[in-house]
Amino acid sequence: MDQVYIGHRPTANNWESNTGAFGPLTFKGDGTFQISIFEDLHFGENAWDQWGPQQDINSVKVINEILEAESPGLVVINGDLITGENTFLENSTSYVDQIVGPLVDRGLTWASTYGNHDYDYNISGNAILAREKQWRNSRTTQMVFGEEAGVSNYYLPVYDSDCSDETCTPGLLLWFFDSRGGFRYQEKDESGNRVGQPDWVDFSVVNWFLQTNAELVNKYNKMIPSLGFVHIPTYASYVLQEEGIDPHAEPGINDDYPLAPQAQGWCADGRNDGTCDYGGQDIPFMQAVSAVPGFIALFSGHDHGDTFCVKWDRLLPNMTVAPRNNINLCFSQHSGYGGYGNWERGSRQVLVTKSKLENLEVDTWIRLESGNVVGSISLNSTYGEDRYPATNNSKTFCPTCNYTST
């Protein structure tokens, strides 16, 4: 069955690569910069069934409802844009047009990371990036090249409102990392099976991040506060969850227990044969993000039933790496009607205020599709000690889907 196409089709005005068409990212005149994170949208699931396209219709509705309520300066699409294992080679990336339609309508720009479901036999990060770059609103790019690096590794500076070129010092850096996973594009082994791909941030990307950050510090002669985005969470999130999440100190849903971190199921020697629980390949990445001064928070998805933030500030059991600087590890909210789970869809918001940034503080909350706001917190020096209301674990269901249809 052919894909049912619902959404935007590029026009002559926007169906062209136009790097920098919107200019650099800047704080608003009031000293704020807001980010809306959409996580695990999972478009393209079961396009041959009635309920598959209906899920995508409802996911577009979620995006529209969130953007009616919030006013971001940047939208981050943080992995698993598409359920790649359900797509066809001929049209696998056309779902990007549906995803970004509400953003294009509002003149918003976005930046993506790619997740494990964005890599499969009929789809790849390179193909998604090529489709994204046809829209001038896209800021997604590739700064690290190599067969094992993944695609969506790059950074974006955010400048003061009155100065927005490279002669000025950025007030904030946004780092995007590709945690890969899934399967290799158009590859099968000798038995005809898809070939798995490592699911952690590659060491080459870690080296690029450390080197690039050092160059920026040297260039501007100062530490620049940073936020990071990666689809699959680190093993530190897994251990912190095992230690216990306090619903009043670290509000959010904690239903995906245990969560699924980078390098899960891999062996330390690189085997992925089901004989190991965790290979430790994300240790260099954990060391790097916790060693860079001013790196405030890392935002992930992947585990649809987790929405909490937790501070990594100590050596944890069964870990060999301790953070050199405290870092907040946050989950966003499952945004799409594709993918598993019926937790109410929504989007994590991050508000960066220049006056608070001086103390490496940012505010964040989750806007739900119902319009409600939950989990409003300040990621500050006392986060984890401050008390907040517990997050209500609300559920939503696809009102127009018939999962029994054939």
Side-chain angles (χ1 to χ4, degrees), residues 93 131 181 278 302 332:
T93 62
R131 189 76 178 199
Y278 167 68
H302 189 58
S332 301

Side-chain angles (χ1 to χ4, degrees), residues 119-198:
Y119 289 96
D120 213 287
Y121 186 74
N122 284 331
I123 196 168
S124 68
N126 283 316
I128 297 174
L129 177 61
R131 189 76 178 199
E132 277 200 62
K133 297 309 291 183
Q134 304 305 310
W135 296 95
R136 61 186 186 136
N137 310 59
S138 175
R139 296 181 186 270
T140 311
T141 191
Q142 182 176 12
M143 291 185 178
V144 186
F145 297 88
E147 185 177 352
E148 298 300 328
V151 175
S152 55
N153 299 294
Y154 59 103
Y155 76 93
L156 295 172
V158 184
Y159 296 96
D160 285 347
S161 59
D162 59 352
C163 188
S164 57
D165 60 55
E166 292 187 358
T167 64
C168 301
T169 302
L172 176 69
L173 295 175
L174 306 176
W175 296 93
F176 300 83
F177 303 100
D178 196 323
S179 49
R180 304 177 295 160
F183 297 87
R184 297 189 184 276
Y185 181 66
Q186 293 290 288
E187 286 189 31
K188 290 188 176 180
D189 62 20
E190 55 190 23
S191 299
N193 299 313
R194 294 175 299 171
V195 178
Q197 181 171 240

Side-chain angles (χ1 to χ4, degrees), residues 132-351:
E132 277 200 62
K133 297 309 291 183
Q134 304 305 310
W135 296 95
R136 61 186 186 136
N137 310 59
S138 175
R139 296 181 186 270
T140 311
T141 191
Q142 182 176 12
M143 291 185 178
V144 186
F145 297 88
E147 185 177 352
E148 298 300 328
V151 175
S152 55
N153 299 294
Y154 59 103
Y155 76 93
L156 295 172
V158 184
Y159 296 96
D160 285 347
S161 59
D162 59 352
C163 188
S164 57
D165 60 55
E166 292 187 358
T167 64
C168 301
T169 302
L172 176 69
L173 295 175
L174 306 176
W175 296 93
F176 300 83
F177 303 100
D178 196 323
S179 49
R180 304 177 295 160
F183 297 87
R184 297 189 184 276
Y185 181 66
Q186 293 290 288
E187 286 189 31
K188 290 188 176 180
D189 62 20
E190 55 190 23
S191 299
N193 299 313
R194 294 175 299 171
V195 178
Q197 181 171 240
D199 61 350
W200 57 83
V201 176
D202 188 63
F203 189 59
S204 65
V205 175
V206 174
N207 284 339
W208 162 81
F209 165 59
L210 291 173
Q211 179 179 343
T212 304
N213 183 78
E215 291 171 353
L216 292 168
V217 169
N218 183 65
K219 177 178 180 179
Y220 297 112
N221 197 31
K222 64 175 295 187
M223 175 273 290
I224 303 173
S226 300
L227 300 173
F229 306 88
V230 66
H231 182 67
I232 303 178
T234 64
Y235 188 69
S237 294
Y238 171 89
V239 180
L240 285 162
Q241 184 192 47
E242 290 282 317
E243 290 283 280
I245 301 299
D246 184 335
H248 288 284
E250 297 140 342
I253 300 168
N254 185 26
D255 282 356
D256 263 336
Y257 182 90
L259 62 82
Q262 295 180 32
Q264 182 186 49
W266 290 76
C267 299
D269 61 7
R271 286 180 295 115
N272 181 23
D273 57 8
T275 62
C276 301
D277 293 327
Y278 167 68
Q281 287 89 346
D282 66 334
I283 289 174
F285 179 60
M286 289 189 289
Q287 288 175 322
V289 295
S290 66
V292 167
F295 203 108
I296 301 169
L298 182 67
F299 297 92
S300 303
H302 189 58
D303 295 278
H304 300 181
D306 291 333
T307 66
F308 56 84
C309 292
V310 61
K311 184 179 291 184
W312 182 27
D313 58 0
R314 62 194 184 278
L315 179 64
L316 297 169
N318 301 316
M319 289 189 64
T320 59
V321 54
R324 290 176 58 186
N325 301 288
N326 297 345
I327 181 171
N328 297 289
L329 303 176
C330 291
F331 287 94
S332 301
Q333 185 88 9
H334 182 201
S335 303
Y337 272 83
Y340 71 90
N342 289 307
W343 299 280
E344 185 173 355
R345 279 69 177 182
S347 167
R348 179 171 290 282
Q349 310 299 308
V350 182
L351 182 65

Side-chain angles (χ1 to χ4, degrees), residues 373-384:
V373 171
V374 296
S376 182
I377 57 176
S378 180
L379 298 177
N380 55 23
S381 61
T382 56
Y383 181 70

